[in-house]
Amino acid sequence: MKYTDQQIQDLIDGIYAGKITVYNLPEDLYIAIAEYLKKGLYEGFGGTLIDFEGKNLELLKELRENIYMFSGAKTYQQVRELTDLVAESQTFSEYKKKAIDIYDTYNNVWAEAEYNTAKGQAQNAILWSEFEKDKKNFPYLKYSAVIDNNTSDICRPLNGVIRKVDDPLWSKYSPLNHFNCRCTLEKLDKYENVVLTHNDKVDEITKKLDETVQKEFKMNSGKDGYIFNENHPYFSVLKEHRGLAKQNFGLKIPEKD
């Protein structure tokens, strides 16, 4: 993410001085987060706004807007946490040390997983668009997990599951199903000797998934039109700030890149 040491210092100083608040969020941080995540979005989707038309363009616009809304919420959460830290710190030096750690957690540690999520959900969104378009000739989907030492307990039982494109399973448990998920869906044509996974088996799997999959991943980016859903912790704001959140905290969403 392109955010300089001077910008980090100005952020920390501004919050400590009370100039930067949840009612006056730093636009430069918001834009830096959005630009970083948009790179993942465009990489996964296979192009930018100028590269698509029709339904795919409309889908990309929806995903792009969601990236900005997510970036606004992430900016809000950082500023709120850093503001709370001011009251908890006895000196500026103590505050600054802890503030840098918080900034690093948001914008280095967590940002990498968020970038991968933006990329992966975008890949699955454009794939889903193709699945819908081709479902007359390719009416089935097969869940494909990468099976190795890093395969999650979430994805392993889904590996090999075959259901119709319109099956409700894919509305809730289409990849991605967790951070850094490597799974994909494969389309199968109507001439293949397809054996659908039995309903009882699917019910058994989904019963476990209901408990193990985080709420923010119970979605289908291609059908829903977003990368990060409303259940992501960033979108959980204080009651008195919900009005701000509905307006993206006063942060503008650029019409063009």
Side-chain angles (χ1 to χ4, degrees), residues 55-154:
K55 290 185 178 180
N56 285 345
L57 175 59
E58 292 307 309
L59 174 58
L60 182 56
K61 285 181 177 179
E62 289 184 84
L63 299 178
R64 178 183 180 274
E65 179 175 333
N66 177 251
I67 288 291
Y68 277 102
M69 297 294 287
F70 179 83
S71 300
K74 180 173 181 176
T75 303
Y76 160 84
Q77 295 293 354
Q78 291 184 70
V79 170
R80 188 173 70 83
E81 187 169 348
L82 290 171
T83 300
D84 291 344
L85 181 63
V86 173
E88 299 169 6
S89 304
Q90 295 184 350
T91 65
F92 176 74
S93 296
E94 178 187 345
Y95 162 76
K96 182 178 179 181
K97 182 178 180 181
K98 293 180 180 179
I100 290 174
D101 288 340
I102 290 173
Y103 174 88
D104 185 65
T105 298
Y106 273 96
N107 300 297
N108 290 310
V109 179
W110 292 346
E112 182 178 359
E114 291 159 5
Y115 180 95
N116 291 337
T117 298
K119 178 181 176 181
Q121 293 287 32
Q123 287 174 331
N124 285 295
I126 191 65
L127 276 174
W128 189 263
S129 179
E130 295 300 315
F131 296 154
E132 289 282 6
K133 185 174 67 175
D134 297 339
K135 65 182 178 182
K136 183 176 181 179
N137 293 316
F138 296 87
Y140 312 107
L141 296 176
K142 178 181 178 181
Y143 196 100
S144 179
V146 178
I147 303 299
D148 57 22
N149 292 334
N150 296 316
T151 305
S152 76
D153 292 337
I154 291 172

Side-chain angles (χ1 to χ4, degrees), residues 17 21 31 58 64 74 83 97 101 150-151 156 176 193 196-198 200-201 226 239-240 247 251 253:
T21 69
I31 293 297
E58 292 307 309
R64 178 183 180 274
K74 180 173 181 176
T83 300
K97 182 178 180 181
D101 288 340
N150 296 316
T151 305
R156 192 178 294 275
L176 308 175
N193 187 23
L196 295 179
T197 304
H198 196 275
D200 290 344
K201 181 65 174 179
Y226 45 71
K239 185 177 180 179
E240 59 265 33
Q247 302 299 321
L251 299 167
I253 299 176

